[in-house]
Amino acid sequence: MKHKLSPRVALEEWEGFCSRFHFLKEELPTIQGIYTAMLPLVEAYAYYSLEQDMEQIVLPHYAYGLVTLGKGVDELAELYLEHEKLQEAYIVDCISLLLLSSAYEELAHEVEKKKGLYLSKLTFLGDTYPVTLLPRMFQRLMPDTICLTEGQMLKPLKTAALILQLEEKPQKDVKQACDTCAECKNFSCPSRRKTPQSLPRTYGAMQIFHIT
C-alpha cells in the first residue's frame, strides 16, 4: 500500500534543535529558513504491508514498510555541497532526521488504524533484522518513487526500511515508540539526544564544528 505523508518539525523539536545538533542559538532563524525552503521539496510517502509474509520476522503481529522524503531533499543537499556550503548541507540532514521521525509517526498511526493493533516498537533493517531482507521487502512493496541499487542502497537517500512490532493493547504512545534515538545502537552519534560524555564524536561532526 502507498500512503502520502506530510511530515513537519514540531514546535517542541525546535526548542532542543541547536543543542542536539551543536548549533548556536543565534543560528536558529537561518536553520528555520532552510526548513521553509525544504518543505516544498519534500515528497514523502510510505509503502507498507500488513501481511505476515516475511519468514525471518518472528513476531505475533507486525507490519513493514519503506518511508521516504523524496528526491528533492537529496537534490537540495547536493546543491549546497556543490557550492561548498557544508554547514547548510548538514542542516538539511539534521532537519531530515526530524522529518523522518514525523513520517514514522504518521505511518504508525496509519498502520494502527488499518490493523486495529498498537505500535509497541519500531526497528530498522540492520538492527534486529538483517539487511538481507531488503530485496524481498522491496519486491513485495514495489515502491514507485524509491529504487534499490545493485549495492543494496535505497534511493532517495532519505529513505528508511522499517519493521513495526504491533500488540493487541497499547504499550506506549506512538511518539515514544517512534523515538529512534532511544533504540539506536550508534552511541557515538553526535546528534544523539543523550550521548554519554565519554564516547567519541564522529569524524564528520569534528570537522564541521572543529571539535577536538
Side-chain angles (χ1 to χ4, degrees), residues 50 52 57-63 108-109 111-123 129 163-174 177 183:
L50 304 178
Q52 313 287 280
I57 301 177
V58 186
L59 292 170
H61 308 287
Y62 67 89
H109 284 300
V111 168
E112 287 185 339
K113 183 174 64 176
K114 289 284 180 64
K115 194 75 172 176
L117 297 170
Y118 300 92
L119 177 69
S120 63
K121 187 176 181 180
L122 183 149
T123 58
Y129 298 98
I163 308 294
L164 296 87
Q165 183 174 332
L166 305 170
E167 304 288 348
E168 294 182 355
K169 296 182 179 180
Q171 306 292 312
K172 56 181 74 170
D173 64 63
V174 168
E183 299 294 335

Side-chain angles (χ1 to χ4, degrees):
M1 285 180 274
K2 181 179 180 179
H3 181 66
K4 175 68 174 173
L5 303 171
S6 301
R8 294 292 185 271
V9 176
L11 181 61
E12 60 269 21
E13 294 280 8
W14 288 122
E15 293 174 0
F17 187 95
C18 290
S19 59
R20 178 181 177 185
F21 295 109
H22 315 290
F23 292 102
L24 299 174
K25 288 185 178 181
E26 303 82 68
E27 295 176 295
L28 188 57
T30 299
I31 293 166
Q32 290 176 323
I34 292 175
Y35 168 69
T36 301
M38 278 180 65
L39 277 184
L41 304 176
V42 175
E43 295 181 351
Y45 287 95
Y47 301 85
Y48 69 98
S49 174
L50 304 178
E51 300 296 326
Q52 313 287 280
D53 57 0
M54 301 289 281
E55 295 81 3
Q56 289 180 263
I57 301 177
V58 186
L59 292 170
H61 308 287
Y62 67 89
Y64 59 89
L66 299 170
V67 170
T68 184
L69 296 183
K71 65 179 182 179
V73 176
D74 286 358
E75 290 171 350
L76 179 61
E78 289 168 8
L79 183 64
Y80 280 132
L81 289 174
E82 286 173 5
H83 290 82
E84 299 183 352
K85 300 288 187 179
L86 299 184
Q87 179 151 309
E88 286 79 358
Y90 176 68
I91 290 170
V92 170
D93 281 344
C94 296
I95 294 171
S96 295
L97 287 176
L98 302 187
L99 290 175
L100 281 170
S101 291
S102 174
Y104 304 153
E105 290 180 41
E106 282 193 68
L107 172 59
H109 284 300
E110 175 72 7
V111 168
E112 287 185 339
K113 183 174 64 176
K114 289 284 180 64
K115 194 75 172 176
L117 297 170
Y118 300 92
L119 177 69
S120 63
K121 187 176 181 180
L122 183 149
T123 58
F124 301 94
L125 287 191
D127 291 342
T128 306
Y129 298 98
V131 179
T132 52
L133 285 176
L134 184 56
R136 188 183 309 172
M137 181 185 290
F138 189 86
Q139 183 178 32
R140 290 178 178 174
L141 295 174
M142 299 180 65
D144 59 358
T145 62
I146 303 171
C147 68
L148 182 63
T149 70
E150 292 182 2
Q152 307 304 299
M153 178 182 291
L154 290 169
K155 289 191 174 183
L157 296 176
K158 303 301 184 290
T159 303
L162 313 171
I163 308 294
L164 296 87
Q165 183 174 332
L166 305 170
E167 304 288 348
E168 294 182 355
K169 296 182 179 180
Q171 306 292 312
K172 56 181 74 170
D173 64 63
V174 168
K175 190 171 188 66
Q176 185 182 2
C178 292
D179 182 359
T180 52
C181 265
E183 299 294 335
C184 179
K185 296 178 176 62
N186 183 12
F187 296 108
S188 64
C189 172
S191 302
R192 194 176 182 86
R193 285 196 181 91
K194 294 181 180 179
T195 305
Q197 294 298 318
S198 59
L199 292 174
R201 307 282 188 179
T202 63
Y203 177 78
M206 292 170 69
Q207 293 301 303
I208 293 173
F209 298 105
H210 308 293
I211 299 171
T212 58

